[in-house]
Amino acid sequence: MKNLTLLSQIRLARFGKPAGKDIHHSVDPETGNVYVAYSTGPSEGVLVRISDLQSPFPEITELATFPPENDVHAEQWGQVVGVKFLVDTQAVCIIFSHGDVALFHNEPTESGETLEIVGSVDSGISCMAWSPDDELVIMVTGVDSILAMTKDFDVISETPINVEETGEDVSVNVGWGKKETQFHGTEGKQAAQRKVDTSTFTHSPDDDGRHRLSWRGDGTYFCCTSQDKRQDRRAIRIYNREAILQSTSEAVNMLEHGLSWRPSGNLIASSQRLPHRHDIVFFEKNGLRHGEFTLREPNDTIVKELAWNCDSTVLAVWLQRSNGSCIQLWTMNNYKWYLKQELSYNDEGSFVADFQWDIEAALVLHVITESGSYQRNQYCWDTYVNEMLSPENLGTVAVIDGANLMITPFRIMNVPPPMAAFTMSVPYAAQHVSFSTLHHGDDMAVLLADQRVAFFEMADKTTRPLPEPKLLGLIQLAEVPSVLVRQIAWVRSDTLIGLQYDSDISGDSIVVIKLAFDEESKAPSIVSRTDVPLEGHYQRLYFNQTHGDVLLQQADGKLATVELKDDEEPKIGKWMHVERFPEGCLWMSTTRIGAGHAAYKEQAVIGLARNNRLYVNDRLISSETTSFCLHNHFLIFTTATHSARFLPLETSISDFKIVDNSMLPYDESIRRVERGSRIVLAVPYSVNLVLQMPRGNLETVAPRAMVLSVTRDALDKCDFRTAFVTCRKHRIDLNILYDHDPKAFMENVAEFVKQVKEVDHLNLFLSFLRNEDVTKTMYPLSGSGSGSKQQQQQQQPPSRNHARSSGGKGGYKGPIAPELADKVNRICDAVRKELEPLDRNTYINSVLTTYVRKSPPDLESALLLLVELRDKDQALAEEALKFTIFLADVDRLFDVALGMYDFALVLMVAQWSQKDPREYLPFLNELRTLEKYYQRFKIDDHLKKYQRALQNLSQAGEKYFDDCIAYIKQHNLFKAGLEVFGSNPTKHKAVLQIYGDSLSINGDHAQAGVAYTMAGDKEKALESYKEAVLWREAVTVAQQLKYDASSMAYLATELAEKLKLAKRYTEAGTVLAEYAKDSEEAISALLEGCLWNEAIRIAYLYNRQDLLATHITPGIADGHHDLMETIREMQEQFDKQTKRLKEVRDLRIEKELAEAAEDMAPDDGLDNVDLMSDTTSMASGFSRYTAANSVLSKSSQSSRSSQYTARLKKRQDKKRARGKKGSVYEEEYLINSLRKLILRVDGTKSDVRAMLDCLATSMLLERAKVLQKEFKKLLEDVDDRMHIIFIPPTEEYLAKKKAAEDAKNERKKLIKQNQANAHLMSRHEEAVAQAQIAQLEEIAEQEIPDIYGEPPVMSKDVWNVDLI
C-alpha cells in the first residue's frame, strides 16, 4: 500500500557543454558534492565538481581537462567511460576508452600535483566498476578480458570473458527427478515436452554491444554481461572477488545489455526483448532465471540501463522512447511489480545521459542529461489515505501503479494487494494523490507525471456494490517547462495547492489554484492561479482534512503554514505552537489534544523522522517508531519492538506521553503485532486497524483500545445495540454497558430493552453481570490529565472474571465497594420491570434470568412464575424450567421447590433434572404420610432451615414441646426459641433456663445471670454473677434470697478476692468495708493497690486510727521504697542504653566513612590489567538464549529459596527482638527499648504524684523530697536526650523504605497477574516473571533496621507537689 512521494528536487540548468553522450558522474557521500566527467571531443574531456547544492546558486568548478597539457599522446585518450569518487583517498578516478586511468586528488599530492596519471591499458577499457568497499576495481579491456586490480591499481588477475567453461558453481544433475515430472504451472504438461533450441537464440536489436559490470552489495561477487561472439547472444557471468568465474547465466533469447545486481544479493536484473513485449528479467547467483515483469511500453522503446537503490527496494529503469527518455521507478510487493514514479525527459537535448542512486541515502536519485544539466530527486515512502475523521469516511486508500490507480475503501471491504476494490486508469503515470474534504474526504485529486491533475468524485456511498469513483476531468498545472509541481493538496472544494520547484530561480514555491466545476458535467477548470515564493527548500506539503491545517516543512524540520482567506492573497506564516521539529520529519500530521470542548483543545503537530523518532511538537515521544496514524481518539504508532501503542488524545499536552501500564492485567494502550508490521490506516469511528506485513499482505485487527473507544462513544449516545454488538463480537466484558455510566443506563433501561430485543442477547447480558466495576478493574479510561481516572485506578487490585455462576472464570476477588454490592440486583429488577409488560411467552427466559442472576438468586420467585405459567401453558412451562435448570444448580433448584411445600413442582423439577427417582421418591413418599406442620418441619430440617423448622415444629402440637427444647439445644436456636414461645410464659421461662445453661457453659456468666434472673432461678443467677465478678448484682440477689449477716460476709469476702485478682482494689475495699464489715481487710486491700489516701479515709471513717501505725504507715514506707527502686532502675537502664546507642552510631559512621574512602582509593595494581580476558565469553551480549538461561537460573534459585523464606523471616525476627550486641539489629533494639522505657516513665507519674501527696500529708517531707528530686532528674534526662535518641530519617533511608514497600506491592501485583494469565504464558515468559518476582522479593526483604522514627508523646499531667 506504499507509494513514492517526491520530497525535494534540485535541478542545475547547465554545468557544461558535453559533446555526445559520454557523460558520467559520481557523488561524494560525505559532502554531497557531485563530480561529472564528460567528453568534449573525440579525445578531450572535462572533470567538473558541483557543490553547495542546497543554496539557490550551486557552485560549479572545473577541476581538470583531459588530456593534460604537454601530453605527447593527447590524441589517444579517447572518450570518458567511467568516473568514481574514492572516499578513502578523497580522489576521483576517471577512465578513458583508449585505456588511460587518471586520479584527481582534492588535495595536492607530495609532488604538488592534483592530477595523477595512474597508467594505461593498451587494449583500451570499455567499463569499470569499483567494489562496494572501494578495495578492488574491475575493468573490462578492449580484448574482452576481466582485469582485477587493487585500489592502488596493482594487478591481481586478468581473465578472458568469452570462455567455454560455465564456472566453478555450475549446477550438477544428480538424477533427482526429470523435467517431465516437474510442475509447470499454467503451461501444463506441454511445457515438459517442449524442446527449446538455444542455437536460434540471438542478441537484441537494441543491444549496444558494450559490456556492463555490477557488484553484489557485500562485495563478494560481481557479474559481467557481454555478447558471446561465438554464440551470437548475450550472457551474464558471475565471478568471485578474485575474478574467478563461478557460473554463467542460462541461455536467454534477446537478452539485453542492462545489468544491476540487487544489493541484498538475491537477484540480478537485466532486460529481454520479445516480439510482443519488453521484460525485465531476473537471475539468481547460479545463473538460473528467477522471474520477470513486463514493461508497459511500446515495442520501439529501448531499455538503456538498470539500477537498484542501496536498500534493494526500488529498481530504476532508464528507457529511451521515440520522443524522449524517461526513468521509471519500480517496486515489488506481494509478488507484484508496481510502477511508482516516472521521470520524463522529452525536451530536445535534455535526454538522460547518466543516472545513479545515492550510495547511502536509499531514495535519492541523481540524473545527468545530455544537455549538461544535473538533477537530484529525493523520495520517501507514503501511504495515500483519506484521513478525515468522519463516521462516513470510507477509509479509502490509493495505491499508484503507473497509469493505474488502485482504490480500496477499507470501511466496507479489505481487499489484499495486489488486488484492489477499484482499478482506475488515468491518462498518464500518477505521481501524487490528495484527498479533499468533499463527500467526507473520499473525493481525490491525482497529480500526473505530465503535470496534469485528475479529479475523482465518490458521491454515491449507499449503493451496493459500491460504484467506482467517477473521473470529473483534468486540468493542466505547469505553465512553463522550468516549473515542476511535485505535491498537491485539495484543501477546499474550489482550491488546489501545489508545491513546485522552479529551476530558473533554483527555489521552491507554492501555487494556489482556484477551481470551478461545471454544474452539469462537473468538469473542472482553472479560474485563477497565484504563485507564492518560498524561502528555502521545502520537502512536505501537508493538509489536514478534518481541521483544515495547511503546513509546509523544510528538510531541517522548520514549519510554516499557508493562510488562505477569502478575497486575500495567500500568505506564508508561522505555525502558532512550535516553530520547528528538532529534526526533519519525513511524515507529519496535525491534530487537537486535550479534554473537553474542541475550543479548549491544543493544536499539535506530529512528526516521524527517518531515524524512527516520533515527535509531538518539539517533544520526543518515542525513539523506536516505525509508522503512525491518527484515530479520532488516539495517536496510534507501531514500534521496532513489534507492538502497537495507543496514546489517547483526550489528555493534556503535558501528559501526552507513553505511560508504563505493564502491571495492569488489561493494558489497552499497547498491543503486540507481527514483526515488521506497518500501519496503513485506522478507520475513523471504527474498531479496525489495518496493518501491512513486510511481505505485503494485509491484516485487519481490532485493538482493545479502539474497540473500547467505539463502545464508549456508542454508550454516550445511548446506542446500546452498537455497543452490545461490538462487545459481543470482540469479547469485551458486557458489564461495561452499565459501568460506563450507571445513571444513564438506569434511566434508559427501556431503550436498552428496545434496542437489544433478542432474547438470547438479553440473557447473555444478564448472565455476564457481576458486582464489579470493570471500568476500574479491567478497562480503566486512559488520559484525562495527571489526575486521570486511570492513574487513580492503577492502585486498584486486578480482577478476573468470577466463577460460572458469576458470569466468568475464577480469579482474584477483591472487596466489593458498597455502591456495587447490589449492582446485579438493581439491573435485574430494572430489566424485569421493562420485560413484564411485554409478551411473556417471548421473554419468559429473560424474566427467569433476572431472578436467577440476582445475588443471592431469587429461585423461589422464579419457581412461583413457573407455577403460574404451568397452569396456563404446560409445554411453555416445561421449556422455561429446562432453561432455568441450565442457569441454576439443579440440586439447589430442587431444594427451593421442596421448601415451597409444592410436591407437584418438586416432581416437575426432578423430572427435568435427570435425577434418579430412587434418590427422591422414597423421601417424598415418606413426607406425604406426615401431618402438615410436622411434614414442613421435616422438610425445613432437611433443607437446614432450622428457624423455620422450629417455627413449624412449635405449631405441630403440645406433644412436640420437648422435641422443641431438644431442637433448640441441638442447633443453638435460643433467641429464635424465645421469639417463638414469647407469648407462653411457662414455655418462655423453660427456654430462658436452657439459654442460661448454654451461656454459663460458654463462659458468658453475665448474660447467664440475666437469663436465670428472667427465668426466676435466683440461686443460679447468684452463681453466675459471682463468676462474672458483678458484685453489685450478686449482693442484690443475695439480699433477695434473705442472706443473713454471716452468709453475706462470706459472700463479700469471696467477691473481694475475685476483685483483687482483677486489680479492682477500690471495689474490693468497698465490698469488705460495707458488706463484710471488716475495715482492717478493706484497708489492706487498698494498701495493696497503693490507694494511700483512701486507706486513711477508711481508717478514720470506721474509727480505726490504730491501723495507721500498724498497717498504713508501714505500707506507705514499703510503697515509697519500691517506687524509689523502680525509678533508680529506670535511671540506670536509661543511662546505660543511651551510652551504648551513642557508641553504636559512632561505629556505624566510622564504618561508612572507611568504606567510602576505600571505594575512592585508586588501585595501582589494576592500572595495566586488561579488563577483557582471553577467555571472556561474549555470548551474554549477543546470544538470544542467554537472557532466557539467566532468567531460568534466577527463577530456579527463587523457587529453591522460597521454601526457606518463612523460616528465615522468623529467625530474623528473633534476632531483631534479641538485639544482640554487635549485630545489625542492635541499634534498632536499643531505640525500641528506650521508647518502651520512656513510656513506662511517663506512666509512673500518677504513682509518684499519689505517693508525694501521701508523704506530704503524713509530714514525711524528707522522703518526699528525695522521691521528687530523683524522679525529676529522670524526666529531665529523658527530655534532654529525646532528640538524640530519636533522629529524623535520612533521604537515603526513606528511599530504601519506599523502594522496599513499592517492591512488595509490585510483587503482589505481579503474582496476581501471573496467576490470572498462567494459561496464556509460555515457559520462557513464566521464567521471566519468576525472575522479576525474585528480584522484587530480594528488594522487599532486604534488611533495613528501623533506626528512625517519631519520639513518643509524653503526658503533660502535673506530677510534682510545689509545697515539698
Side-chain angles (χ1 to χ4, degrees):
M1 310 301 287
K2 297 187 299 183
N3 304 281
L4 279 176
T5 296
L6 181 57
L7 290 180
S8 64
Q9 189 175 56
I10 297 175
R11 284 192 291 172
L12 187 63
R14 184 177 293 275
F15 57 80
K17 296 181 179 180
K21 302 180 181 179
D22 294 323
I23 309 174
H24 302 272
H25 75 288
S26 182
V27 181
D28 181 357
E30 295 179 350
T31 63
N33 295 338
V34 180
Y35 296 88
V36 183
Y38 58 90
S39 300
T40 58
S43 295
E44 295 85 21
V46 177
L47 176 64
V48 175
R49 179 177 63 203
I50 307 172
S51 58
D52 199 13
L53 292 172
Q54 297 298 329
S55 67
F57 303 101
E59 180 181 354
I60 302 174
T61 306
E62 184 177 300
L63 301 178
T65 59
F66 307 98
E69 296 181 3
N70 303 322
D71 191 327
V72 297
H73 304 290
E75 71 283 356
Q76 299 179 4
W77 278 69
Q79 303 290 321
V80 176
V81 296
V83 62
K84 170 67 176 177
F85 180 81
L86 305 175
V87 178
D88 291 344
T89 59
Q90 289 294 302
V92 184
C93 176
I94 310 101
I95 63 170
F96 296 85
S97 59
H98 289 179
D100 292 302
V101 179
L103 280 180
F104 178 84
H105 300 274
N106 283 333
E107 298 295 335
T109 60
E110 296 178 357
S111 61
E113 299 292 334
T114 56
L115 184 62
E116 178 185 1
I117 308 301
V118 177
S120 179
V121 178
D122 295 337
S123 59
I125 302 174
S126 62
C127 64
M128 168 190 72
W130 284 80
S131 64
D133 56 3
D134 289 346
E135 294 292 328
L136 297 179
V137 59
I138 305 297
M139 301 179 185
V140 177
T141 67
V143 293
D144 292 345
S145 63
I146 298 290
L147 180 63
M149 291 186 288
T150 66
K151 64 180 180 180
D152 298 324
F153 299 98
D154 296 329
V155 177
I156 298 175
S157 64
E158 185 173 0
T159 307
I161 296 176
N162 297 317
V163 294
E164 295 183 359
E165 293 82 2
T166 56
E168 296 181 348
D169 295 339
V170 63
S171 300
V172 178
N173 185 0
V174 294
W176 290 349
K178 298 181 179 179
K179 185 176 180 64
E180 291 79 1
T181 62
Q182 294 176 356
F183 177 70
H184 296 278
T186 57
E187 295 184 357
K189 294 183 178 180
Q190 293 78 9
Q193 302 170 357
R194 186 183 305 146
K195 302 298 182 182
V196 179
D197 185 8
T198 60
S199 62
T200 62
F201 288 1
T202 183
H203 59 271
S204 170
D206 300 331
D207 197 326
D208 61 5
R210 299 170 62 181
H211 301 81
R212 300 291 191 281
L213 291 170
S214 181
W215 282 87
R216 200 168 77 169
D218 58 1
T220 56
Y221 296 94
F222 69 91
C223 57
C224 175
T225 177
S226 62
Q227 285 192 4
D228 192 335
K229 297 178 181 179
R230 295 179 292 105
Q231 300 179 355
D232 194 27
R233 58 181 172 85
R234 183 172 284 272
I236 300 174
R237 291 176 172 85
I238 294 90
Y239 299 85
N240 65 6
R241 195 174 176 86
E242 289 74 28
I244 300 175
L245 181 64
Q246 301 297 302
S247 58
T248 303
S249 65
E250 64 176 275
V252 176
N253 189 27
M254 292 191 179
L255 183 67
E256 297 183 322
H257 53 268
L259 182 69
S260 181
W261 197 329
R262 195 175 191 178
S264 60
N266 59 339
L267 294 177
I268 301 172
S270 186
S271 61
Q272 178 188 15
R273 169 175 288 284
L274 296 174
H276 57 290
R277 69 175 190 265
H278 222 140
D279 287 350
I280 301 298
V281 295
F282 301 103
F283 297 87
E284 298 178 5
K285 184 177 76 70
N286 56 12
L288 299 179
R289 281 282 297 271
H290 188 92
E292 68 280 323
F293 70 88
T294 301
L295 296 174
R296 303 160 190 173
E297 297 292 325
N299 285 341
D300 59 349
T301 302
I302 300 172
V303 178
K304 299 288 288 183
E305 297 290 349
L306 306 173
W308 289 98
N309 68 333
C310 63
D311 66 355
S312 304
T313 57
V314 183
L315 176 64
V317 181
W318 171 13
L319 301 176
Q320 187 66 45
R321 295 169 175 162
S322 59
N323 60 343
S325 61
C326 75
I327 297 176
Q328 294 182 347
L329 305 183
W330 292 81
T331 183
M332 190 266 288
N333 208 350
N334 222 14
Y335 304 102
K336 173 181 171 59
W337 284 90
Y338 296 84
L339 175 56
K340 291 301 182 183
Q341 287 280 342
E342 181 174 308
L343 306 176
S344 298
Y345 301 87
N346 299 329
D347 296 337
E348 185 67 27
S350 66
F351 296 168
V352 178
D354 187 30
F355 83 99
Q356 68 176 14
W357 290 100
D358 196 274
I359 62 175
E360 289 189 353
L363 296 177
V364 173
L365 183 68
H366 306 274
V367 182
I368 302 292
T369 65
E370 295 178 359
S371 61
S373 66
Y374 165 77
Q375 180 175 326
R376 179 184 183 273
N377 294 342
Q378 181 181 0
Y379 299 90
C380 81
W381 293 110
D382 254 351
T383 304
Y384 299 142
V385 180
N386 176 11
E387 297 179 338
M388 190 168 191
L389 301 181
S390 168
E392 303 299 324
N393 177 0
L394 295 179
T396 307
V397 178
V399 178
I400 291 176
D401 184 18
N404 295 325
L405 198 63
M406 307 172 74
I407 305 295
T408 301
F410 279 93
R411 186 181 291 274
I412 298 176
M413 63 188 79
N414 186 344
V415 182
M419 298 178 290
F422 310 111
T423 300
M424 300 177 298
S425 298
V426 290
Y428 209 77
Q431 182 175 343
H432 190 259
V433 177
S434 174
F435 289 90
S436 74
T437 58
L438 301 176
H439 297 110
H440 304 283
D442 288 310
D443 290 1
M444 70 191 82
V446 183
L447 174 64
L448 307 182
D450 61 355
Q451 293 296 287
R452 288 185 293 173
V453 177
F455 294 89
F456 289 88
E457 180 188 52
M458 186 174 285
D460 185 5
K461 299 184 182 182
T462 59
T463 305
R464 296 293 183 273
L466 189 71
E468 70 175 29
K470 176 185 177 183
L471 176 63
L472 302 180
L474 296 92
I475 63 171
Q476 183 70 42
L477 277 186
E479 294 180 328
V480 293
S482 63
V483 177
L484 182 66
V485 178
R486 59 181 184 270
Q487 297 175 36
I488 60 172
W490 192 359
V491 296
R492 296 178 184 173
S493 60
D494 62 345
T495 305
L496 182 73
I497 297 179
L499 178 61
Q500 60 188 12
Y501 178 83
D502 189 347
S503 59
D504 290 343
I505 62 174
S506 297
D508 286 338
S509 61
I510 62 169
V511 56
V512 180
I513 298 176
K514 288 294 184 179
L515 303 171
F517 292 88
D518 186 79
E519 294 183 358
E520 296 182 0
S521 64
K522 296 184 179 182
S525 60
I526 298 177
V527 176
S528 65
R529 181 195 310 264
T530 305
D531 289 332
V532 181
L534 300 174
E535 296 181 2
H537 294 283
Y538 284 82
Q539 66 177 9
R540 271 295 184 186
L541 169 64
Y542 169 77
F543 169 57
N544 187 302
Q545 300 166 258
T546 306
H547 305 293
D549 303 328
V550 183
L551 267 68
L552 296 165
Q553 183 195 170
Q554 292 186 356
D556 61 354
K558 185 178 180 180
L559 299 173
T561 181
V562 181
E563 300 175 2
L564 300 175
K565 296 181 180 180
D566 295 337
D567 302 327
E568 292 185 14
E569 291 293 325
K571 297 180 181 179
I572 305 300
K574 293 183 178 180
W575 178 248
M576 60 181 62
H577 289 288
V578 61
E579 183 179 353
R580 64 172 62 244
F581 286 120
E583 59 182 306
C585 294
L586 298 182
W587 302 273
M588 60 183 295
S589 184
T590 61
T591 185
R592 304 297 184 265
I593 297 177
H597 192 270
Y600 301 103
K601 295 184 177 182
E602 298 184 54
Q603 291 182 339
V605 59
I606 300 167
L608 176 60
R610 193 189 304 273
N611 56 5
N612 295 342
R613 290 176 176 266
L614 180 68
Y615 295 94
V616 174
N617 291 340
D618 55 357
R619 186 157 56 91
L620 178 64
I621 296 297
S622 171
S623 58
E624 56 175 9
T625 305
T626 56
S627 62
F628 80 94
C629 74
L630 284 169
H631 186 255
N632 48 296
H633 286 295
F634 301 99
L635 166 63
I636 308 173
F637 59 93
T638 55
T639 67
T641 54
H642 326 306
S643 62
R645 283 196 167 272
F646 303 82
L647 295 188
L649 299 177
E650 290 84 5
T651 184
S652 64
I653 194 72
S654 59
D655 293 325
F656 193 72
K657 57 187 177 182
I658 296 176
V659 180
D660 183 14
N661 295 327
S662 58
M663 299 308 296
L664 290 177
Y666 302 93
D667 181 11
E668 66 182 73
S669 66
I670 187 170
R671 186 193 194 279
R672 299 291 294 175
V673 295
E674 188 175 334
R675 179 187 296 270
S677 300
R678 298 292 187 273
I679 296 175
V680 176
L681 83 158
V683 182
Y685 297 94
S686 172
V687 301
N688 293 334
L689 175 65
V690 182
L691 302 171
Q692 186 167 28
M693 304 302 111
R695 56 186 174 274
N697 60 305
L698 299 180
E699 180 179 348
T700 301
V701 297
R704 177 168 289 157
M706 297 176 63
V707 172
L708 290 175
S709 71
V710 170
T711 302
R712 290 167 181 144
D713 289 345
L715 292 175
D716 289 338
K717 297 183 293 185
C718 291
D719 186 0
F720 296 107
R721 182 164 190 84
T722 299
F724 177 85
V725 171
T726 302
C727 292
R728 180 171 177 262
K729 180 178 180 180
H730 299 285
R731 302 177 65 85
I732 298 298
D733 196 305
L734 294 176
N735 281 272
I736 196 175
L737 301 181
Y738 170 85
D739 293 334
H740 176 73
D741 191 345
K743 182 179 178 182
F745 182 88
M746 297 304 293
E747 292 174 352
N748 296 276
V749 173
E751 186 66 23
F752 172 77
V753 174
K754 180 180 178 181
Q755 294 182 20
V756 188
K757 57 187 177 181
E758 293 85 353
V759 175
D760 290 343
H761 291 176
L762 287 172
N763 294 342
L764 183 65
F765 168 71
L766 294 170
S767 299
F768 266 87
L769 291 176
R770 62 181 182 277
N771 292 326
E772 176 188 341
D773 187 355
V774 297
T775 61
K776 295 181 180 179
T777 58
M778 297 177 66
Y779 313 123
L781 184 63
S782 302
S784 303
S786 58
S788 67
K789 182 178 179 182
Q790 177 192 16
Q791 294 177 356
Q792 297 171 5
Q793 293 163 355
Q794 285 182 6
Q795 304 301 324
Q796 298 287 339
S799 172
R800 297 290 291 175
N801 297 337
H802 298 323
R804 176 180 177 270
S805 61
S806 299
K809 300 179 181 179
Y812 172 79
K813 296 183 181 180
I816 299 177
E819 64 272 12
L820 296 175
D822 61 340
K823 165 190 163 182
V824 176
N825 293 348
R826 284 188 284 113
I827 296 175
C828 289
D829 293 340
V831 172
R832 183 170 61 254
K833 182 180 178 182
E834 298 297 331
L835 292 177
E836 285 176 346
L838 304 178
D839 183 13
R840 173 175 290 186
N841 292 346
T842 302
Y843 291 104
I844 183 63
N845 289 346
S846 298
V847 174
L848 289 172
T849 305
T850 62
Y851 284 120
V852 176
R853 287 294 300 124
K854 293 187 71 173
S855 180
D858 191 0
L859 298 179
E860 188 169 343
S861 298
L863 291 176
L864 287 174
L865 180 61
L866 290 174
V867 170
E868 181 183 350
L869 189 65
R870 180 187 59 188
D871 300 336
K872 298 179 180 179
D873 191 337
Q874 179 71 24
L876 183 61
E878 291 179 354
E879 292 297 324
L881 177 61
K882 287 192 288 184
F883 178 76
T884 307
I885 292 173
F886 169 75
L887 290 179
D889 181 30
V890 64
D891 293 330
R892 190 176 178 188
L893 201 63
F894 180 85
D895 291 342
V896 172
L898 186 62
M900 296 171 65
Y901 316 124
D902 187 340
F903 287 96
L905 180 61
V906 173
L907 289 173
M908 184 178 176
V909 172
Q911 176 184 358
W912 292 105
S913 66
Q914 298 181 353
K915 276 178 166 290
D916 189 350
R918 290 175 296 180
E919 296 180 4
Y920 61 86
L921 283 181
F923 176 63
L924 295 180
N925 292 332
E926 180 185 353
L927 291 176
R928 289 178 185 274
T929 62
L930 303 177
E931 56 187 31
K932 176 181 177 181
Y933 288 106
Y934 195 73
Q935 179 192 80
R936 293 184 175 182
F937 161 73
K938 282 292 187 181
I939 291 174
D940 292 331
D941 181 64
H942 172 73
L943 299 177
K944 298 182 180 181
K945 298 179 179 180
Y946 300 121
Q947 292 190 14
R948 287 183 58 183
L950 177 62
Q951 181 71 32
N952 287 319
L953 185 60
S954 67
Q955 298 177 24
E958 293 293 331
K959 60 182 179 180
Y960 294 109
F961 179 68
D962 292 338
D963 294 340
C964 288
I965 296 298
Y967 200 75
I968 289 172
K969 290 181 180 180
Q970 180 183 357
H971 297 291
N972 197 21
L973 299 173
F974 301 102
K975 294 182 180 180
L978 292 174
E979 184 178 350
V980 169
F981 297 105
S983 60
N984 190 322
T986 303
K987 295 180 179 178
H988 188 263
K989 287 184 178 181
V991 176
L992 283 171
Q993 186 73 28
I994 61 173
Y995 189 22
D997 294 340
S998 175
L999 291 172
S1000 181
I1001 293 172
N1002 293 327
D1004 192 355
H1005 298 288
Q1007 290 296 319
V1010 175
Y1012 286 134
T1013 302
M1014 294 175 67
D1017 193 341
K1018 304 292 185 181
E1019 294 292 342
K1020 288 188 176 181
L1022 178 59
E1023 291 298 325
S1024 295
Y1025 286 139
K1026 281 167 55 179
E1027 292 296 328
V1029 200
L1030 297 175
W1031 61 272
R1032 293 179 179 85
E1033 289 81 356
V1035 297
T1036 300
V1037 173
Q1039 289 174 348
Q1040 291 175 0
L1041 292 174
K1042 308 298 183 181
Y1043 270 31
D1044 55 15
S1046 60
S1047 299
M1048 184 63 75
Y1050 181 78
L1051 174 62
T1053 303
E1054 282 187 292
L1055 291 172
E1057 292 298 327
K1058 293 180 179 294
L1059 289 169
K1060 286 193 288 184
L1061 290 174
K1063 297 187 182 302
R1064 295 159 61 181
Y1065 296 105
T1066 302
E1067 296 173 84
T1070 302
V1071 171
L1072 288 169
E1074 295 181 4
Y1075 294 98
K1077 307 301 181 182
D1078 191 346
S1079 57
E1080 184 176 348
E1081 288 297 327
I1083 289 173
S1084 298
L1086 293 171
L1087 292 175
E1088 186 177 347
C1090 299
L1091 302 171
W1092 323 109
N1093 291 331
E1094 181 67 15
I1096 295 173
R1097 187 188 71 82
I1098 294 297
Y1100 281 101
L1101 177 64
Y1102 290 97
N1103 197 22
R1104 291 295 305 273
Q1105 288 84 352
D1106 57 311
L1107 297 177
L1108 292 174
T1110 59
H1111 288 71
I1112 296 177
T1113 301
I1116 291 174
D1118 293 341
H1120 174 266
H1121 178 270
D1122 293 340
L1123 192 55
M1124 289 295 297
E1125 288 294 328
T1126 300
I1127 293 173
R1128 287 166 183 163
E1129 177 190 347
M1130 290 190 294
Q1131 181 73 56
E1132 181 182 0
Q1133 180 184 350
F1134 184 79
D1135 293 339
K1136 180 180 178 181
Q1137 289 188 338
T1138 52
K1139 180 181 178 182
R1140 178 58 186 168
L1141 180 61
K1142 184 177 182 304
E1143 294 175 356
V1144 171
R1145 285 178 173 168
D1146 291 342
L1147 290 173
R1148 176 165 57 84
I1149 294 173
E1150 291 177 3
K1151 183 179 179 182
E1152 292 175 355
L1153 292 175
E1155 290 177 352
E1158 183 179 352
D1159 292 339
M1160 296 177 62
D1163 191 347
D1164 297 335
L1166 295 178
D1167 288 347
N1168 298 318
V1169 175
D1170 187 357
L1171 296 179
M1172 184 68 72
S1173 67
D1174 294 338
T1175 59
T1176 301
S1177 172
M1178 297 298 291
S1180 61
F1182 301 94
S1183 172
R1184 61 181 293 189
Y1185 305 103
T1186 307
N1189 293 336
S1190 62
V1191 164
L1192 289 171
S1193 64
K1194 289 181 181 178
S1195 64
S1196 61
Q1197 291 172 6
S1198 64
S1199 62
R1200 289 195 298 267
S1201 62
S1202 61
Q1203 304 173 10
Y1204 305 100
T1205 302
R1207 188 184 307 171
L1208 291 175
K1209 195 172 186 307
K1210 287 182 180 179
R1211 189 179 302 171
Q1212 290 176 357
D1213 290 341
K1214 290 180 180 179
K1215 291 181 180 179
R1216 192 186 297 266
R1218 284 200 304 268
K1220 185 178 178 182
K1221 186 175 181 180
S1223 66
V1224 293
Y1225 301 113
E1226 184 182 6
E1227 185 176 359
E1228 179 182 355
Y1229 168 77
L1230 290 171
I1231 292 174
N1232 291 333
S1233 179
L1234 286 168
R1235 186 188 301 276
K1236 295 176 183 178
L1237 178 60
I1238 292 171
L1239 293 175
R1240 182 184 170 195
V1241 170
D1242 188 58
T1244 311
K1245 287 181 178 180
S1246 59
D1247 295 338
V1248 172
R1249 176 57 188 252
M1251 177 59 70
L1252 289 175
D1253 288 343
C1254 183
L1255 291 174
T1257 55
S1258 301
M1259 299 306 292
L1260 299 174
L1261 297 180
E1262 291 299 327
R1263 292 185 178 183
K1265 287 180 180 180
V1266 173
L1267 174 61
Q1268 183 164 295
K1269 179 180 179 181
E1270 294 200 12
F1271 191 67
K1272 181 180 180 181
K1273 180 181 181 301
L1274 177 59
L1275 290 177
E1276 289 176 349
D1277 290 346
V1278 170
D1279 188 58
D1280 291 343
R1281 302 181 188 178
M1282 188 79 77
H1283 68 282
I1284 300 176
I1285 299 171
F1286 303 100
I1287 58 179
T1290 62
E1291 293 183 1
E1292 181 183 1
Y1293 171 80
L1294 293 176
K1296 285 184 178 180
K1297 291 288 284 187
K1298 186 178 184 304
E1301 189 65 27
D1302 292 345
K1304 189 180 298 183
N1305 295 333
E1306 293 295 330
R1307 177 178 173 273
K1308 290 180 181 178
K1309 290 181 181 179
L1310 194 57
I1311 289 175
K1312 292 173 183 176
Q1313 180 181 353
N1314 292 343
Q1315 290 174 349
N1317 301 328
H1319 61 292
L1320 302 174
M1321 298 172 66
S1322 64
R1323 292 185 60 189
H1324 176 75
E1325 290 173 337
E1326 290 180 2
V1328 172
Q1330 289 296 331
Q1332 293 175 348
I1333 293 173
Q1335 293 173 358
L1336 292 173
E1337 184 174 355
E1338 183 178 352
I1339 298 174
E1341 300 298 335
Q1342 62 181 330
E1343 297 179 0
I1344 306 176
D1346 191 5
I1347 57 177
Y1348 305 99
E1350 293 293 331
V1353 180
M1354 300 185 70
S1355 66
K1356 303 297 184 180
D1357 298 339
V1358 179
W1359 62 272
N1360 58 341
V1361 178
D1362 294 337
L1363 298 176
I1364 297 176

